[in-house]
Amino acid sequence: MDERRRESGFRERTRIDDARAALQKRVAAVDRAETVAVASADGRTLAESVASTRPVPGESRAAVDGFAVSASATFGASDRSPALLAADAAIGDTEKTGGARRVDAGDPLPSGADAVVPVGGATRIDDTVEVFDPVAVCDGVVTVGSDVAADEPLYEPGHRLRPPDLGLLLAAGVETVAVSDRPRVAVVPTGDGLVTGEPGRGESVETDSLTVARLVERWGGVAERREPVPADRGAIADALRDAAADADVVATTGGSGLGENDLVPDALTTVGDLDVHGIAATPGESLGLGAVDGTPVVMLPGGPAACVVGAVQFLRPAVTWADGREHEEPPTGPAMLTRKVPSEPGVRTYVRVRFDAEGGQRVAVPIRTDGELSHSSVGLADGWIEIREGIEGLPEGDLVAVQRWGWSP
């Protein structure tokens, strides 16, 4: 890396929207697919369109509690002159003026019936049902295919299945679906002194890859945590090349800054392409983007806060695009800001907050931190406030939108 750049810092930082657009050009939707049982398809993305194979319901059913009748037998019925129907007789039986059978909502409609008189419109006295309110054909009835018609298109490729979708598919006679393979994401932690057990002097417990891997799985991907790679340009380059051979997306953690041991950008340029290094955001300024042998690489900064911000803003869209879906911004919730927060003009700022209650109103309390290495500033946060580039801070008492970044689409 140019030593002048190390000394001067990121003079030119790419805006988040521009950097994300550059990443999108690198990401291709996974073209692998498999067929799975509907019961096992929750959260999977459809690879093919799906249509019903039978109508729902498959037979006419009562929509209300009451009496199943032939509608014609109730014509002219009133309080003064009720229609008299034979209780429990065959519908259409002419022993009196027809038959009536007690049904509950959801019951199949008895043979000959084409309507249901609600409980409040009729009463049974011994073997006779007195109908006071006339009904028309199909009143109080859910007809065949009224919910879903046979061969009705249900979902298109790219739709991510949810639990209610699975119920609809089974009801419509669909037992298996073709879904895209989950995008494979290789997570490569980098840096010296990273350990997985009890740390000694000068060592740190490697946690970023665990956080990133679990986020990837929430977003619909399959994560593989690789062993930590020391701050060595050659070792990092080999790890990048190896990860790219097996993954749809590679995410590195740490080593993306401008320090002497921040060698991931240099290593990437030796085995691939570095598209972006340095974004106009805080935390997370040192994030980088590129590719190795056509596989997109997201270089996440070290440190819990910057790593999570970078993962949500870039790795999450990459996983979504690779899964054949459109990227969605996390949902937001309103809250009143409890104190003023500053921001740098031209930089998108993410202020971590926790929710609290004050005077019956939900408030957003900014979490004070000692820097980007603070685990608690992320682990104890309910979300963050995104301050756009053109805004210089937010005043105390402002009504803000808090992004719930932990949400899973």
Side-chain angles (χ1 to χ4, degrees):
M1 180 182 292
D2 190 334
E3 291 301 324
R4 290 174 299 177
R5 188 174 185 187
R6 292 191 189 278
E7 295 173 0
S8 62
F10 294 101
R11 287 185 173 178
E12 294 184 6
R13 294 175 290 184
T14 305
R15 287 181 173 246
I16 281 187
D17 293 341
D18 295 334
R20 196 180 287 163
L23 174 62
Q24 188 170 14
K25 293 178 181 178
R26 291 285 192 181
V27 180
V30 172
D31 60 2
R32 305 180 303 273
E34 62 177 331
T35 299
V36 299
V38 165
S40 303
D42 183 32
R44 301 298 297 272
T45 300
L46 288 173
E48 299 176 359
S49 59
V50 181
S52 62
T53 64
R54 63 185 175 214
V56 181
E59 57 184 350
S60 294
R61 297 180 178 273
V64 296
D65 299 333
F67 296 90
V69 300
S70 172
S72 62
T74 70
F75 292 168
S78 67
D79 290 340
R80 291 187 177 183
S81 180
L84 304 178
L85 308 182
D88 299 327
I91 309 299
D93 189 338
T94 57
E95 180 182 345
K96 291 189 179 181
T97 58
R101 290 194 178 184
R102 186 70 167 83
V103 292
D104 293 330
D107 286 348
L109 213 59
S111 176
D114 56 18
V116 175
V117 180
V119 170
T123 188
R124 177 171 178 169
I125 300 176
D126 297 328
D127 293 332
T128 300
V129 175
E130 297 184 355
V131 178
F132 306 102
D133 296 330
V135 291
V137 174
C138 292
D139 280 358
V141 174
V142 178
T143 58
V144 174
S146 58
D147 188 7
V148 179
D151 299 320
E152 179 178 337
L154 296 177
Y155 302 111
E156 294 300 316
H159 177 74
R160 192 180 190 193
L161 293 169
R162 306 158 299 175
D165 302 335
L166 308 185
L168 173 58
L169 290 171
L170 286 180
V174 180
E175 297 182 353
T176 62
V177 288
V179 295
S180 300
D181 278 359
R182 290 187 174 98
R184 298 191 298 255
V185 180
V187 185
V188 183
T190 70
D192 291 332
L194 297 178
V195 297
T196 56
E198 186 69 23
R201 182 175 178 81
E203 295 180 332
S204 300
V205 178
E206 196 284 299
T207 61
D208 287 341
S209 70
L210 173 62
T211 300
V212 171
R214 295 300 173 262
L215 285 172
V216 165
E217 289 164 359
R218 280 193 174 197
W219 300 331
V222 176
E224 178 193 1
R225 295 174 66 193
R226 300 289 182 107
E227 290 296 318
V229 182
D232 176 85
R233 184 181 291 103
I236 296 172
D238 290 343
L240 287 172
R241 188 185 295 109
D242 182 61
D246 298 325
D248 300 302
V249 180
V250 174
T252 62
T253 63
S256 65
L258 298 175
E260 292 183 359
N261 290 326
D262 290 322
L263 301 175
V264 177
D266 288 354
L268 180 56
T269 60
T270 65
V271 292
D273 301 303
L274 179 63
D275 299 330
V276 172
H277 188 207
I279 60 171
T282 184
E285 177 187 51
S286 65
L287 183 138
L289 304 169
V292 174
D293 296 330
T295 301
V297 176
V298 179
M299 299 187 306
L300 298 172
C307 183
V308 169
V309 168
V312 172
Q313 299 304 322
F314 291 93
L315 187 56
R316 178 177 173 174
V319 172
T320 302
W321 294 326
D323 200 26
R325 296 178 283 124
E326 294 293 326
H327 168 62
E328 299 179 52
E329 293 293 342
T332 62
M336 185 184 71
L337 192 59
T338 60
R339 65 176 175 85
K340 176 183 178 180
V341 291
S343 66
E344 179 185 346
V347 173
R348 193 170 300 187
T349 303
Y350 296 90
V351 181
R352 286 142 279 164
V353 299
R354 61 177 175 81
F355 287 133
D356 205 344
E358 189 175 287
Q361 181 178 10
R362 186 164 69 169
V363 297
V365 183
I367 296 177
R368 299 182 183 276
T369 70
D370 294 324
E372 296 183 7
L373 298 180
S374 169
H375 283 273
S376 64
S377 72
V378 179
L380 300 181
D382 293 309
W384 56 49
I385 303 166
E386 183 182 63
I387 306 178
R388 292 275 173 162
E389 291 85 348
I391 301 175
E392 295 187 32
L394 297 173
E396 178 182 343
D398 199 14
L399 186 64
V400 296
V402 179
Q403 281 192 3
R404 305 301 297 268
W405 57 266
W407 166 75
S408 304

